[in-house]
Amino acid sequence: MTVLFGQLFTGISIGAVLLLIALGLALTFGQMNVINMAHGEFIMAGAYTTYVLQQIITGAGWSLLVALPVAFVVAGAMGVLLEALLIRRLYARPLDTLLVTWGVSLILQQLARDVFGSPNVQTRAPEPLTGNVALPGGVTVANNRVFILVLALAAVAALTLALRLTPLGRRIRAVVQNRDLAAVSGIPTARVDRITFFVGSGLAGVAGVALTLLGPIGPTMGTNLIIDAFLVVVVGGIGQLKGSVIVAFALGVLQATGEYLTTLSVAKVMVFIAIVAFLQWRPQGLFTLRTRSLA
Amino acid sequence: MTALAGPPATTAVDAAPAAGPRPGRGRRAGRLRTAVGFALGAVLLFAAAPLALSDFRLSLLAKYLCLAVVAIGIGIAWGRGGLLTLGQGVFFGLGGYAMAMHLKLADAGPGQMPDFMQLYGQLDELPLWWRPFASPWFALPATVLLPMAVAFGLGSLVFRRRVRGAYFAILSQALAAAMVILLIGQQGTTGGTNGLTDIQGFFGYDLDDPVNQRTVYFLIAAALLALLWLARQLIQSRYGELLVAVRDGEERVRFLGYDPATVKLVAYVTAAGMAGLAGALFVPAVGIISPALIGIVPSIEFVIGVAVGGRATLLGPVLGAVAVAWARTALSERFPGTWTYLQGGLFVLVVAFLPGGLAALCSRRRGTGGGPLTRLRRRRTEAAA
């Protein structure tokens, strides 16, 4: 029973990381149909922001708290810049956004290498996040994992509320559902696109801050994360956050179970096969917005 | 483009000009030009290059030509069929590993195990799935058929259920990631991160001998020309036209009574077979196959060459792949950082501003489909419409 709970929590915490890195994509890919391969590098930017702030602010706890909003703005600004310079021209060619942003991600990785050096760097975890907490039932879980879980859920809650309740959220949803109709209703779609991109990319920055708690920071850290994040959004379905939330935790638990039963590498392959099998059942993902488009 | 041109830029990946058989142009003239082109290519590859290049440069060229073979396949699947496949490394790797496994077993001698297995795996006997590769009659067909089978498996699942184009690209990429993780994880039987290295013999010939290296080069050059010819036949056939039709309007093709899934599957499987063959030829040319050569990054680099050369043409991908690989060698030795910026920047510029690739610059001179500027202007007006 203890083993079962332990595995379950491992799965949930893998899921929380997946969710956090996929949440921004759920907005930019899921809602705007832009395949942003540089999203992983925005995560990296968030991680390096934490690292830089820790050089300035010596208290690890404070620097982490400051890093969260700063990384959001830094990564968000990078996203807006990318949108304004390149992606804006490519909305009609979704597959080409993938290629263009891959080129951008190459450049950003090299930039990170030139600025921070190719070896990985490490941040100090704040004191309260280093220990373990014992749950009833004999399961101990790492504090930083709990923190990431809470952060992921808070981000989802904030995003959901913003999309549901604020005028901006209403505009974003309108543009996603029917761009032309939104435009004739007087919504400045280009500006809404830009703000959506800011928020989506900013969330990548927040994910980057969280990832500094789990491992080293390096120029290529984004490449490996990005694929898992895309898979979450693909399986979750376009245009709905709840799909991404459910799928992130489901894949996390699947991954943890697979790892427990076999090995890490076999578990990864199992997850991939499960995803392809799932798409046989629901080719458009778990939840989809109904549209009349033939595409 | 006139008002008759139908809905604007529906699938604009796609804004690249189709360079298929053009109406109003004599078939005979086209055939003559192709014959001259192939003859010229043969002279360049078989006479000029071996005479002009040192052994070292020639073996580099052999490596580039392998990448060019992969590019032909991507040109068909992506340029013609609109299937952005980001996982060609998987098929390249399957072909490469099949070949390397056979050569390793041949190096080790009958009944022996490859050296690394005792080292990492501490295995007492050859794993079951290695055994068939001892026979060249199994290993050689497997270099092509294995990748084709995997492509058929993924492709038929994905295309039949009409999974969207972007999903396919991401799934193909995830396949590459999964394969690399699996290869690294099973170090005892796959060589892990190192891959299969130190391959010395090639069907009884010593690969260290420059003469034999030259033979390998000729083999690769011959394969490239043969596959180019095959690709040309495929593109000019009725199937080739259907493939372009699926790219530009899948639903319309469906309404006409064709099955787009089958059309796409054939293109994907063909591309996989070509990548597999390229991988198999790469192994004797370079003497190594490893996860680093087939992962996500190399898989996308295959696509970069194709995009730069011109995805929708026959020759563009080949020349693009060779040119990008050559530039990488020339620049990355001395300025590794600069090369990465250049590679990224080139990719951004070409895909965003010149989707037809460098081939589109040339086609203006030949008066087909308008120059890049005309096309850019046309796309603007379409986007505005």
Side-chain angles (χ1 to χ4, degrees), chain B residues 126-139:
Chain B
L126 204 59
L128 208 58
W129 58 276
W130 267 73
R131 282 187 197 161
F133 288 92
S135 156
W137 299 109
F138 179 85

Side-chain angles (χ1 to χ4, degrees), chain A residues 37-108:
Chain A
M37 295 297 284
H39 194 80
E41 276 61 42
F42 294 166
I43 295 175
M44 171 191 81
Y48 273 117
T49 304
T50 319
Y51 172 71
V52 170
L53 281 172
Q54 201 160 79
Q55 312 297 313
I56 303 166
I57 306 168
T58 41
W62 287 112
S63 69
L64 192 74
L65 283 182
V66 176
L68 285 172
V70 174
F72 183 84
V73 173
V74 168
M78 289 168 75
V80 168
L81 202 66
L82 181 68
E83 202 272 346
L85 290 179
L86 288 171
I87 289 174
R88 194 166 55 85
R89 302 162 204 277
L90 298 171
Y91 280 122
R93 302 190 274 153
L95 282 183
D96 283 4
T97 61
L98 190 159
L99 299 170
V100 167
T101 51
W102 171 262
V104 172
S105 86
L106 281 180
I107 294 172
L108 290 178

Side-chain angles (χ1 to χ4, degrees), chain B:
Chain B
M1 197 164 286
T2 59
L4 289 173
T10 34
T11 46
V13 172
D14 330 326
R22 286 164 217 109
R25 204 174 258 258
R27 272 225 155 210
R28 196 178 300 163
R31 218 172 280 165
L32 186 72
R33 220 181 51 217
T34 317
V36 171
F38 269 92
L40 206 68
V43 169
L44 270 175
L45 286 175
F46 284 96
L51 285 177
L53 297 175
S54 66
D55 284 339
F56 172 68
R57 294 276 158 205
L58 199 67
S59 74
L60 272 183
L61 184 60
K63 187 176 141 186
Y64 302 160
L65 294 186
C66 291
L67 306 182
V69 170
V70 183
I72 301 176
I74 298 179
I76 292 173
W78 180 39
R80 294 279 156 172
L83 303 167
L84 178 52
T85 157
L86 296 176
Q88 287 306 93
V90 170
F91 309 125
F92 186 79
L94 284 172
Y97 270 91
M99 178 62 102
M101 282 161 74
H102 173 66
L103 297 183
K104 282 303 265 187
L105 289 175
D107 277 354
Q112 297 295 306
M113 281 164 55
D115 39 14
F116 74 89
M117 281 191 185
Q118 284 109 350
L119 203 64
Y120 308 131
Q122 279 138 19
L123 299 175
D124 299 325
E125 56 175 2
L126 204 59
L128 208 58
W129 58 276
W130 267 73
R131 282 187 197 161
F133 288 92
S135 156
W137 299 109
F138 179 85
L140 286 185
T143 59
V144 179
L145 295 180
L146 214 58
M148 287 171 95
V150 172
F152 182 82
L154 181 65
S156 53
L157 290 176
V158 169
F159 301 141
R160 296 237 172 272
R161 291 298 293 161
R162 301 192 208 172
V163 169
R164 299 172 352 134
Y167 283 18
F168 168 72
I170 290 163
L171 284 177
S172 69
Q173 191 168 38
L175 182 64
M179 177 159 164
V180 165
I181 292 169
L182 192 63
L183 281 173
I184 293 176
Q186 310 297 311
Q187 193 183 32
T189 51
T190 61
T193 335
N194 297 334
L196 302 178
T197 56
D198 197 25
I199 288 157
Q200 282 152 357
F202 185 60
F203 298 98
Y205 295 97
D206 179 13
L207 281 173
D208 279 340
D209 188 346
V211 177
N212 293 335
Q213 272 297 333
R214 228 158 235 260
T215 314
V216 169
Y217 164 79
F218 285 126
L219 200 64
I220 293 170
L224 177 69
L225 282 182
L227 287 181
L228 262 178
W229 183 80
L230 195 74
R232 191 188 131 83
Q233 298 305 107
L234 193 70
I235 284 172
Q236 300 217 326
S237 66
R238 282 168 59 90
Y239 168 77
E241 307 221 352
L242 201 54
L243 184 61
V244 174
V246 168
R247 177 192 75 187
D248 291 342
E250 181 169 343
E251 287 304 322
R252 293 184 210 177
V253 173
R254 200 191 310 280
F255 294 151
L256 288 174
Y258 294 99
D259 179 15
T262 311
V263 177
K264 290 201 242 180
L265 192 59
V266 170
Y268 186 47
V269 170
T270 307
M274 289 189 177
L277 184 63
L281 292 168
F282 184 86
V283 167
V286 182
I288 178 175
I289 186 84
S290 77
L293 291 164
I294 68 177
I296 299 162
V297 174
S299 292
I300 295 195
E301 280 174 357
F302 289 138
V303 174
I304 295 184
V306 176
V308 169
R311 62 180 90 155
T313 62
L314 181 60
L315 216 49
V318 172
L319 298 178
V322 173
V324 170
W326 173 79
R328 155 193 282 286
T329 316
L331 287 169
S332 66
E333 283 164 4
R334 259 178 291 171
F335 319 105
T338 318
W339 164 245
T340 313
Y341 287 126
L342 214 66
Q343 188 186 24
L346 186 70
F347 203 37
V348 169
L349 288 179
V350 167
V351 177
F353 300 105
L354 196 66
L358 297 181
L361 288 175
C362 304
S363 69
R364 172 163 65 164
R365 211 161 29 81
R366 297 214 318 238
T368 54
L373 277 180
T374 341
R375 227 171 296 122
L376 200 67
R377 216 170 291 139
R378 189 193 302 155
R379 214 177 312 123
R380 286 236 178 92
T381 44
E382 276 172 0

